[in-house]
Amino acid sequence: MSDTIILECNGASAAITLNIPAKHNRLGPAELMRLMQCLDQVAGDAQIRCLVITGAGERSFCAGFDIGAIDSAKEASGPGFEALVDRIETMPMPVVAALNGGVFGGATDLALACDFRLGVTGMRLFVPPAKLGLHYYPNGLRRFVERLGPGVAKRMFLLAEEFDAEELMRVGYLDWLVAPDRLRPRCAELVESLVGMAPLALRGMKRAINQIARGSLDTVATRAAIAEAYASQDLQEGLAAHREKRKPVFKGR
């Protein structure tokens, strides 16, 4: 296993750590390939109900793609940054971005592709393409407009404005903001809540919500997911637990 990208699976949850703190967890072609392998492994494990993506160190979550590797990336046969982030968005289970520090460049979209973002006080966000002569890729721009609106997207991309933690909360980029020493325990609380939900219902609703946000809801597939949940053992368990005033134990079937 690459020591720059660490995958840990613990029962119903998994965590991916970007482990290059000396370089602000910046990602090159090799890291993109390893990340894609990790995502495929997690997506293929029916036992995993929640994924956390975080960074090592206390300064940065991730500084995006390694600009110095742009030329070599054009010739690489591995996944591009956009394909990697799209894969995160379509992961079947909920994904939590535990932002341990600053978020820069493409990492701003990597975190936005996750379902939830938990940040720490003192963090910053900055997207520099306009200062470098780069044009951001289309699906990244789509996510910013869908989730934050065109006004915030223009501040981030056209003005290359730097956002502090409090402003990120105000514009809706962050879902929660905690002190750095509360990041791990608060993330653990979120994971505990998510893995306790009914997996079939959770996965189906996540997929439908993302489709609705894009204006491309597959109604037939959504109704099939509703029928699957309605006929599931999990629904019977959930109803029984409600009657008996106990915590349900869902099996994902």
Side-chain angles (χ1 to χ4, degrees), residues 104-118:
F104 309 106
T108 60
D109 186 39
L110 190 156
L112 200 58
C114 299
D115 300 291
F116 305 102
R117 281 158 300 286
L118 171 63

Side-chain angles (χ1 to χ4, degrees), residues 72-156:
S72 61
K74 294 176 182 177
E75 303 173 358
S77 58
F81 199 92
E82 182 176 16
L84 171 74
V85 179
D86 288 348
R87 184 71 176 100
I88 292 172
E89 183 179 42
T90 58
M91 289 294 284
M93 70 287 294
V95 183
V96 178
L99 306 176
N100 55 295
V103 186
F104 309 106
T108 60
D109 186 39
L110 190 156
L112 200 58
C114 299
D115 300 291
F116 305 102
R117 281 158 300 286
L118 171 63
V120 293
T121 52
M123 67 174 289
R124 299 177 298 121
L125 178 148
F126 175 63
V127 191
K131 291 191 172 184
L132 299 172
L134 291 172
H135 191 306
Y136 216 73
Y137 52 87
N139 274 349
L141 294 173
R142 169 185 61 77
R143 272 181 285 270
F144 277 88
V145 173
E146 282 175 1
R147 290 156 173 74
L148 306 177
V152 174
K154 288 177 181 178
R155 287 173 61 189
M156 288 184 172

Side-chain angles (χ1 to χ4, degrees), residues 26-196:
R26 192 175 295 116
L27 305 172
E31 285 74 36
L32 296 186
M33 183 173 295
R34 175 59 187 156
L35 270 169
M36 190 68 86
Q37 292 170 348
C38 291
L39 294 172
D40 287 344
Q41 180 177 336
V42 170
D45 189 337
Q47 183 181 9
I48 296 176
R49 303 182 185 181
C50 177
L51 171 64
V52 175
I53 301 178
T54 192
E58 299 178 353
R59 294 188 300 168
S60 304
F61 164 69
C62 180
F65 187 72
D66 185 354
I67 293 176
I70 285 180
D71 289 337
S72 61
K74 294 176 182 177
E75 303 173 358
S77 58
F81 199 92
E82 182 176 16
L84 171 74
V85 179
D86 288 348
R87 184 71 176 100
I88 292 172
E89 183 179 42
T90 58
M91 289 294 284
M93 70 287 294
V95 183
V96 178
L99 306 176
N100 55 295
V103 186
F104 309 106
T108 60
D109 186 39
L110 190 156
L112 200 58
C114 299
D115 300 291
F116 305 102
R117 281 158 300 286
L118 171 63
V120 293
T121 52
M123 67 174 289
R124 299 177 298 121
L125 178 148
F126 175 63
V127 191
K131 291 191 172 184
L132 299 172
L134 291 172
H135 191 306
Y136 216 73
Y137 52 87
N139 274 349
L141 294 173
R142 169 185 61 77
R143 272 181 285 270
F144 277 88
V145 173
E146 282 175 1
R147 290 156 173 74
L148 306 177
V152 174
K154 288 177 181 178
R155 287 173 61 189
M156 288 184 172
F157 287 94
L158 306 188
L159 284 173
E161 185 176 339
E162 183 175 302
F163 286 68
D164 62 20
E166 289 71 23
E167 184 70 354
L168 291 172
M169 276 294 296
R170 193 189 72 79
V171 301
Y173 185 89
L174 293 177
D175 296 298
W176 305 276
L177 181 62
V178 296
D181 63 354
R182 284 288 302 158
L183 182 68
R184 285 183 178 274
R186 181 65 178 114
C187 186
E189 292 171 0
L190 292 172
V191 170
E192 182 180 7
S193 293
L194 289 167
V195 300

